[in-house]
Amino acid sequence: MTQTILVLEDDVQLNETIKQFLLIKGYTVFCAYDGLQAEDVLYENHIDLMLLDVKVPLLNGFEFLKTVRSEGRNTPAIFITSLNSVKDVTEGFDSGCDDYMRKPFSLKELLVRVEFLLKRTYGTYDNKIDLGDNLLFDTKSLLLTQKNQKIPLRTKELKLLALFLQYPNELLEYEKIFETLWEYDEEPSVGSLRAYIKTLRAIIGKEKIETIKNIGYRFVK
């Protein structure tokens, strides 16, 4: 499963340039040209990273990210903007961004920052996380192996494991899990989630996933 990037940029040519560059590098790209469209994209798709211009129509980049963060979403975000005063940079980070790039910029530099943030988010620089007992999980391909043998898991089980590894030792509430595992047109199922948890515990160890009654789960690293 490729990693997904949202590009919010109202300059159509620049948006397309960034999109084509990232597609070549193996990412899935969703484009938005105003803040409200970006909200729709974010709520309808799983997004791993956001590239945000500030001066866009309807809802500017600062306000868009403030809204995202107020809803508890921690998706990494990089502002790409011509606004370059200390005040603007400060507002950008106060809005909840992880990085800030001034226009004009090189696509090579953009890629370095994108890769760094994605790797930092998953806590590894080679995409593979050692879970012990010869278990390795590739966060990029969503592949779990033991002694180089693939362990067959359903897509939602793999996405759940990736989510746990993205937020080790943090409480993940049901709502956060539901929005990650189920698409916007799917109905989340508590019963299915319990089944996925049971499957993962059987593989990585029951003690690795704590149940927080009536709230959610925690992956213990």
Side-chain angles (χ1 to χ4, degrees), residues 15-66:
N15 195 318
E16 183 65 19
T17 298
I18 295 172
K19 174 186 175 181
Q20 293 302 322
F21 176 74
L22 293 174
L23 286 175
I24 291 171
K25 297 302 178 181
Y27 296 100
T28 298
V29 183
F30 296 91
C31 296
Y33 303 92
D34 63 63
L36 296 184
Q37 187 180 11
E39 284 189 332
D40 290 340
V41 171
L42 185 61
Y43 297 138
E44 294 175 3
N45 303 276
H46 173 74
I47 301 297
D48 292 304
L49 183 139
M50 301 180 290
L51 301 176
L52 309 174
D53 187 14
V54 175
K55 295 193 293 183
V56 293
L58 302 182
L59 183 69
N60 71 48
F62 289 152
E63 294 305 317
F64 167 74
L65 187 56
K66 286 177 184 176

Side-chain angles (χ1 to χ4, degrees), residues 76-90:
I78 302 174
F79 277 122
I80 302 174
T81 176
S82 57
L83 300 176
N84 56 16
S85 70
V86 173
K87 177 178 177 296
D88 293 321
V89 175
T90 300

Side-chain angles (χ1 to χ4, degrees), residues 173-187:
E173 297 184 1
Y174 290 122
E175 184 177 354
K176 173 70 174 177
I177 297 173
F178 288 157
E179 74 178 29
T180 300
L181 268 60
W182 277 268
E183 302 297 334
Y184 75 99
D185 58 347
E186 294 180 320
E187 186 68 30

Side-chain angles (χ1 to χ4, degrees), residues 125-203:
Y125 281 88
D126 60 5
N127 297 315
K128 293 183 179 179
I129 296 178
D130 187 348
L131 299 175
D133 197 26
N134 294 306
L135 285 165
L136 282 178
F137 184 66
D138 190 317
T139 59
K140 189 167 185 178
S141 64
L142 292 186
L143 178 67
L144 181 64
T145 59
Q146 187 169 40
K147 295 182 179 179
N148 295 319
Q149 296 297 313
K150 178 182 177 181
I151 296 179
L153 289 173
R154 288 171 284 192
T155 299
K156 284 184 171 58
E157 291 166 343
L158 292 165
K159 290 171 71 174
L160 178 58
L161 180 55
L163 183 65
F164 279 138
L165 294 172
Q166 187 176 351
Y167 299 100
N169 301 315
E170 292 186 31
L171 168 62
L172 289 176
E173 297 184 1
Y174 290 122
E175 184 177 354
K176 173 70 174 177
I177 297 173
F178 288 157
E179 74 178 29
T180 300
L181 268 60
W182 277 268
E183 302 297 334
Y184 75 99
D185 58 347
E186 294 180 320
E187 186 68 30
S189 167
V190 174
S192 294
L193 176 58
R194 288 174 181 158
Y196 302 153
I197 293 290
K198 183 178 180 180
T199 298
L200 291 182
R201 281 175 168 161
I203 296 170

